[in-house]
Amino acid sequence: MKASALSSLQQLTFKSLNLHRTLTRTSNLPFLSTTNRRIHSSSSPPPIMSAAAATSERARAPPAIPIPSPPLTKFKIALCQLSVSADKDRNIAHARSAIHHAAANGAKLVVLPEIWNSPYSNDSFPIYAEDIDAGHDASPSTAMLSELSRLLKVTIVGGSIPERSGDRLYNTCCVFGTDGNLKAKHRKIHLFDIDIPGKITFIESKTLSAGETPTIVDTEVGRIGIGICYDIRFPELAMIYAARGAHLLLYPGAFNMTTGPLHWELLQRARAMDNQFGEVMATTEHEEATIIAEIDYSILEQRRTSVPVTKQRRGDLYQLVDLQRLNSS
């Protein structure tokens, strides 16, 4: 999967087994036109269009929240790519081992894949679902994540598991802080309902309900916006997280081998491009693996200064509206 650093945030995504994972960040290289390779230097920066400068604040409603100072400037992140079996106990033990390995190698943030405790099928979701709010024996998967985040003093974004809440099932990502407490739950907002004749048909809405809330959470490693797999198809969600001051975006995923090879890396880089630039930092193939890489927040201000996209949006022509924030105010 991957991580992409955006102009105002860094974005990470990863997946479970089927596809290589990729880590991306903002580019440190100049972007040159293919038709004109000349780079012009000047003692003063190029002027910003007055129309854009005058209307950029109106391009997002409510106005964007300034990015807070992150708790850490640099830290190591681990993205764990796991195989999944029909044995839930084995899956939990396997994830436990991967988290231990990541922490032992210096990771302060550990991220698991989508649906890592269950086979990915509509038939399996009801069987493997857990009552996360009840905790303990009712949710052995999240109980393990809570225990390890506390013992190892790491922040864990627990991929996702099938969640049972009343008579509904959700695809849910849990975020645990270094004290072992559950800091946030993100329920997958956009369900994967597709039909490609002769290749793949998968209708998640047959068993799963869609989440209703974008999820952004302050953690010991910064402010994180959470999406799950198909959520990455929708640029508005990433833009809302950027407007809410996120340092990092995380998209646990489990893409299939029909749409995945064509779209997974492209979508990750696209979400980075929506807010600035992105380059691949690390990648894996289809086998199990753990990527451990350094996140450096100091590049964010540099990227925003070099290419001030946020100051160039045309609020007189278009607008991104964050209804949740607008209604709450």
Side-chain angles (χ1 to χ4, degrees):
M1 315 250 143
K2 47 184 101 164
S4 333
L6 313 182
S7 71
S8 52
L9 47 128
Q10 298 195 10
Q11 168 181 327
L12 292 164
T13 66
F14 59 101
K15 56 182 205 62
S16 95
L17 195 60
N18 290 350
L19 259 194
H20 65 272
R21 283 167 313 163
T22 308
L23 183 64
T24 66
R25 66 176 179 180
T26 54
S27 175
N28 292 321
L29 303 175
F31 281 75
L32 308 180
S33 166
T34 56
T35 57
N36 185 343
R37 304 282 297 184
R38 291 174 294 172
I39 302 178
H40 300 279
S41 61
S42 172
S43 59
S44 59
I48 296 177
M49 291 178 59
S50 58
T55 63
S56 61
E57 281 300 306
R58 300 208 310 266
R60 295 187 285 194
I65 297 172
I67 294 183
S69 297
L72 299 173
T73 301
K74 294 182 181 181
F75 63 92
K76 288 184 178 180
I77 183 172
L79 305 180
C80 302
Q81 183 160 284
L82 304 174
S83 63
V84 175
S85 74
D87 185 336
K88 181 192 261 191
D89 290 339
R90 180 267 182 196
N91 295 333
I92 293 174
H94 197 47
R96 176 189 290 272
S97 177
I99 295 169
H100 270 289
H101 171 75
N105 282 274
K108 295 297 182 184
L109 173 61
V110 182
V111 191
L112 298 183
E114 179 185 27
I115 307 293
W116 56 267
N117 71 344
S118 162
Y120 206 109
S121 71
N122 280 318
D123 291 340
S124 298
F125 295 151
I127 299 170
Y128 289 77
E130 300 180 5
D131 186 341
I132 294 172
D133 292 338
H136 303 292
D137 293 342
S139 185
S141 299
T142 58
M144 180 273 290
L145 299 179
S146 174
E147 175 192 6
L148 288 193
S149 61
R150 176 177 56 82
L151 291 176
L152 301 176
K153 301 302 179 187
V154 295
T155 299
I156 297 177
V157 175
S160 75
I161 65 170
E163 178 194 12
R164 185 179 301 280
S165 180
D167 60 353
R168 291 176 176 265
L169 296 177
Y170 297 95
N171 184 342
T172 301
C173 176
C174 294
V175 181
F176 290 90
T178 57
D179 56 3
N181 289 333
L182 178 64
K183 298 182 75 71
K185 283 197 314 182
H186 176 76
R187 290 168 170 168
K188 188 175 186 178
I189 295 173
H190 305 93
L191 297 183
F192 188 61
D193 289 0
I194 68 161
D195 182 10
I196 302 177
K199 293 187 177 181
I200 182 174
T201 298
F202 200 101
I203 309 298
E204 282 188 334
S205 61
K206 283 185 176 179
T207 54
L208 299 177
S209 296
E212 300 294 336
T213 307
T215 304
I216 194 163
V217 55
D218 287 313
T219 74
E220 291 84 348
V221 293
R223 181 170 294 177
I224 300 175
I226 304 291
I228 297 175
C229 201
Y230 199 54
D231 285 339
I232 201 172
R233 291 265 182 178
F234 303 89
E236 296 85 358
L237 184 62
M239 294 174 72
I240 282 174
Y241 288 151
R244 292 185 185 186
H247 300 107
L248 193 69
L249 297 186
L250 291 171
Y251 289 89
F255 263 76
N256 63 81
M257 293 303 290
T258 298
T259 61
L262 293 174
H263 302 149
W264 185 233
E265 181 177 311
L266 175 62
L267 284 166
Q268 294 174 73
R269 300 193 74 185
R271 296 295 77 79
M273 289 292 291
D274 291 339
N275 296 274
Q276 207 77 16
F277 303 119
E279 71 172 323
V280 175
M281 292 175 60
T283 188
T284 70
E285 294 301 329
H286 310 314
E287 298 78 18
E288 286 193 319
T290 295
I291 283 178
I292 297 179
E294 185 176 77
I295 296 296
D296 183 357
Y297 286 144
S298 68
I299 66 174
L300 299 181
E301 186 58 36
Q302 175 189 348
R303 293 301 99 196
R304 290 194 299 272
T305 301
S306 300
V307 185
V309 171
T310 57
K311 296 178 181 179
Q312 296 170 331
R313 290 191 169 100
R314 292 291 301 271
D316 56 329
L317 301 179
Y318 50 78
Q319 188 178 55
L320 175 73
V321 180
D322 186 339
L323 291 175
Q324 187 178 38
R325 284 180 59 207
L326 196 66
N327 293 336
S328 65
S329 63

